[in-house]
């Protein structure tokens, strides 16, 4: 009971009317006889003493109701909340070897197509874009607005790169810098490349050492390789001999195996894209489940006091109307039969099974209903459900729903309102910075 507290202590001010009403009722009861006391004395009649039990029951019932409304709490319940802080960086190869034609029409064209195909799957967290040739370059900072990246990718080519070369380690290093600059200690790096030398792979592993970034690779090319046909139609040659660009699978696997990522060879189907996109769709969050966190919310135990109130009500209706009047005049708000009904238990089991749409329909608890709708990506409906709720977790998830919907302005306003009331809410601060950055990017 050391953790006992009242969630709504201001309700104790409702005892003030009781303090005023009781003396008035007592005085009225003493003067409510049919015969005046001095006449009764002259006539030799005994005046019946006024009954005090109605006032005692009224005071007791009123006190219990006020305590129930004040929200006595000695337990906490865990509710999931969602962080937008997960991140990934897409790293694309813009070296001349991407003009090789072992993938039709060439590696570069397919690289851009497959990058565009991955974007719709990355709905959670933020995504950045880096390109590399002889060095690595930031194209876009981390953003939740996939349309920004969608507009940039088609114009990328080796022709716009200032330094020629094929240094995938430089691209990975730039991705690491981008993640660290945004304050992310974990995240995914998705590398699209046609291979790397052992020296470059060694340098990349050195840069990744001591970090918690997971590198997945989509290999754009084949082990057999092909000549590199430049945009002017000529073949890239060295000492008069056409250069044949081949993929060394072993060097690529050394990166994915060491960091926990996956390696996919480019295919004519979407299987390669789907595998990478699904693997990186849930941003890393310090080894936890995706971006899901659990925040504690106090459980209001006031509903237990409904039982003695009902007993007093039965007694009041049997003996008189004093307690009946009390139950009519005194508001009892949000009475619940139990903290977790059977319906919500079944909905929770559905939720944990991953059937979020069905759980959203089954939950009667608005907090959990909004959480299930959010997980089901029904962001518009989640906003409607969570908006009336004023507890910090629901307001936090409301801001996340606005952000996922793309309404960064409203998301920022929700986080700011929450932080005014709960300045210690660090996750809200981080998400506020993310949506403000996304809003700035979208306005450019």
């Amino acid at each position: 009971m050391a953790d006992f507290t009242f969630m709504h202590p201001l309700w104790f001010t409702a005892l003030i009317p009781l303090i005023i009403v009781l003396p008035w009722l007592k005085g009225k009861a003493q003067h409510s006889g049919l015969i005046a006391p001095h006449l009764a004395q002259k006539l030799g009649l005994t005046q019946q003493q006024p009954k005090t039990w109605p006032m005692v029951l009224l005071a007791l019932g009123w006190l219990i109701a006020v305590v129930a409304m004040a929200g006595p709490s000695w337990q906490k319940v865990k509710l999931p909340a969602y962080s937008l802080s997960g991140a990934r960086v897409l790293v694309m190869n813009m070296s001349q070897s991407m003009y090789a034609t072992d993938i039709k029409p060439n590696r570069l064209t397919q690289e851009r197509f497959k990058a565009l195909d991955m974007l719709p799957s990355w709905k959670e967290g933020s995504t950045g874009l880096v390109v590399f040739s002889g060095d690595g370059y930031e194209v876009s900072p981390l953003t939740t607005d996939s349309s920004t990246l969608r507009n940039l990718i088609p114009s990328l080519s080796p022709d716009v790169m200032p330094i020629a070369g094929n240094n995938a380690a430089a691209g990975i290093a730039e991705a690491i810098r981008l993640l660290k600059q945004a304050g992310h200690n974990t995240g995914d790096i998705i590398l699209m490349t046609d291979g790397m030398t052992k020296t470059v792979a060694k340098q990349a592993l050195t840069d990744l050492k001591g970090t918690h970034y997971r590198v997945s690779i989509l290999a754009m090319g084949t082990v057999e390789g092909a000549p590199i046909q430049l945009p002017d139609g000529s073949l890239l040659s060295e000492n008069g001999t056409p250069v044949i660009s081949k993929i060394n699978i072993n060097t690529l696997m050394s990166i994915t195996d060491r960091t926990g990522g996956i390696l996919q060879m480019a295919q004519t189907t979407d299987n390669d894209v789907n595998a990478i996109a699904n693997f990186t769709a849930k941003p890393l969050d310090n080894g936890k489940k995706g971006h899901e966190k659990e925040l504690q919310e106090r459980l209001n135990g006031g509903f237990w006091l409904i039982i003695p109130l009902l007993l007093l009500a039965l007694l009041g209706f049997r003996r008189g109307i004093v307690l009946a009047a009390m139950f009519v005049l005194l508001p009892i708000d949000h009475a619940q039969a139990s903290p977790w009904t059977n319906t919500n238990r079944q909905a929770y089991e559905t939720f944990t099974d991953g059937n979020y749409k069905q759980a959203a329909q089954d939950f009667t608890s608005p907090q959990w209903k909004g959480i299930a709708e959010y997980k089901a990506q029904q962001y518009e409906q989640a906003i409607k459900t969570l908006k009336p709720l004023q507890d910090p977790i629901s307001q936090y998830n409301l801001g996340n729903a606005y952000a996922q919907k793309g309404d960064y302005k409203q998301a920022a306003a929700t986080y700011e309102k929450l932080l005014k009331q709960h300045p210690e809410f660090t996750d809200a601060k981080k998400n506020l910075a993310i949506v403000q950055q996304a809003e700035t990017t979208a306005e450019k």
Side-chain angles (χ1 to χ4, degrees):
M1 298 296 288
D3 200 29
F4 182 85
T5 187
F6 286 100
M7 297 176 62
H8 312 292
L10 287 178
W11 267 102
F12 283 111
T13 58
L15 292 174
I16 297 175
L18 178 64
I19 297 173
I20 298 173
V21 168
L22 281 179
W24 176 78
L25 288 176
K26 185 178 180 181
K28 187 175 181 180
Q30 291 176 345
H31 296 84
S32 60
L34 295 175
I35 303 176
H38 67 281
L39 293 177
Q41 187 177 5
K42 293 290 187 181
L43 295 173
L45 299 175
T46 302
Q47 197 71 338
Q48 187 176 3
Q49 294 295 320
K51 296 180 179 180
T52 60
W53 66 263
M55 287 180 288
V56 172
L57 292 182
L58 171 63
L60 181 60
W62 194 294
L63 178 62
I64 293 174
V66 168
V67 173
M69 295 299 296
S73 175
W74 57 91
Q75 291 177 292
K76 292 182 179 179
V77 63
K78 291 183 177 180
L79 293 174
Y82 301 90
S83 173
L84 303 175
S85 59
R88 66 184 69 80
V89 177
L90 178 62
V91 181
M92 300 179 65
N93 189 342
M94 290 296 142
S95 64
Q96 287 188 321
S97 62
M98 295 301 291
Y99 285 127
T101 56
D102 50 353
I103 299 179
K104 303 300 180 183
N106 59 33
R107 297 174 182 175
L108 175 63
T109 302
Q110 284 296 326
E111 179 186 35
R112 291 188 295 216
F113 284 153
K114 291 184 179 295
L116 292 172
D117 288 342
M118 275 189 275
L119 292 180
S121 300
W122 293 331
K123 296 178 180 179
E124 299 179 7
S126 52
T127 305
L129 179 60
V130 167
V131 296
F132 71 90
S133 52
D135 202 354
Y137 304 93
E138 173 189 329
V139 177
S140 171
L142 296 175
T143 177
T144 56
D145 185 10
S146 60
S147 62
T148 300
L149 306 182
R150 192 179 300 113
N151 293 333
L152 293 170
I153 289 173
S155 61
L156 299 176
S157 74
D159 299 333
V160 301
M161 303 303 290
I163 304 175
N166 193 346
N167 188 356
I172 292 175
E174 182 64 17
I176 293 173
R177 184 196 67 80
L178 205 61
L179 289 165
K180 287 185 175 180
Q181 187 180 51
H184 299 287
N185 296 321
T186 61
D188 275 300
I189 298 174
I190 300 92
L191 176 65
M192 304 181 72
T193 187
D194 57 359
M196 64 178 77
T197 64
K198 292 182 179 180
T199 302
V200 171
K202 185 177 180 180
Q203 180 60 50
L205 288 173
T206 300
D207 294 335
L208 288 163
K209 187 177 181 180
T211 69
H212 300 282
Y213 303 122
R214 184 174 60 181
V215 181
S216 298
I217 300 176
L218 181 55
M220 303 302 303
T222 62
V223 293
E224 296 82 7
I228 301 171
Q229 186 175 2
L230 301 176
D232 60 5
S234 63
L235 297 179
L236 183 66
S237 59
E238 185 175 338
N239 299 325
T241 302
V243 175
I244 304 297
S245 177
K246 301 179 181 180
I247 286 184
N248 186 339
I249 296 296
N250 293 330
T251 56
L252 298 180
M253 288 184 63
S254 68
I255 303 293
T256 56
D257 290 347
R258 191 74 63 87
T259 63
I262 62 172
L263 171 65
Q264 288 287 310
M265 298 293 294
Q267 302 174 25
T268 55
T269 65
D270 291 334
N271 292 338
D272 51 352
V273 168
N274 293 336
I276 295 283
N278 292 336
F279 186 73
T280 58
K282 299 285 186 181
L284 293 177
D285 188 14
N286 297 320
K288 296 179 183 178
K289 298 184 297 179
H291 67 310
E292 182 176 337
K293 297 184 177 182
E294 284 186 338
L295 300 177
Q296 289 188 333
E297 177 78 356
R298 284 198 167 275
L299 185 64
N300 191 335
F303 65 90
W304 291 111
L305 296 175
I306 293 178
I307 297 174
L309 278 176
L310 290 175
L311 294 176
L312 288 173
L314 291 175
L315 182 61
F317 278 110
R318 181 179 178 183
R319 300 277 186 167
I321 62 170
V322 175
L323 289 180
M326 181 196 73
F327 280 96
V328 171
L329 298 174
L330 185 63
I332 303 296
D333 189 28
H334 301 303
Q336 297 181 9
S338 71
W340 197 250
T341 64
N342 289 335
T343 301
N344 282 326
R345 286 185 183 276
Q346 294 172 358
Y348 181 74
E349 292 177 1
T350 305
F351 179 90
T352 55
D353 289 339
N355 191 352
Y356 304 122
K357 289 184 178 179
Q358 185 61 47
Q361 295 177 6
D362 295 343
F363 272 123
T364 59
S365 165
Q367 281 182 316
W368 278 96
K369 188 178 186 68
I371 290 168
E373 289 166 344
Y374 179 92
K375 288 289 288 181
Q377 299 181 5
Q378 299 173 342
Y379 302 125
E380 186 69 40
Q381 192 58 42
I383 290 170
K384 292 180 180 178
T385 302
L386 296 171
K387 196 172 182 179
L389 306 180
Q390 297 303 314
D391 63 281
I393 296 176
S394 295
Q395 285 295 299
Y396 174 70
N397 285 332
L398 174 62
N400 295 344
Y402 276 124
Q404 295 289 6
K405 184 188 172 187
D407 191 347
Y408 304 126
K409 185 175 181 180
Q410 192 61 47
T414 303
Y415 292 137
E416 288 171 349
K417 178 183 176 182
L418 175 60
L419 287 170
K420 285 182 180 179
Q421 300 173 347
H422 303 277
E424 75 287 352
F425 211 133
T426 55
D427 284 332
K429 290 180 183 178
K430 184 174 287 187
N431 285 7
L432 175 60
I434 292 172
V435 297
Q436 286 175 336
Q437 180 185 5
E439 186 177 9
T440 302
T441 303
E443 291 175 352
K444 291 181 178 180

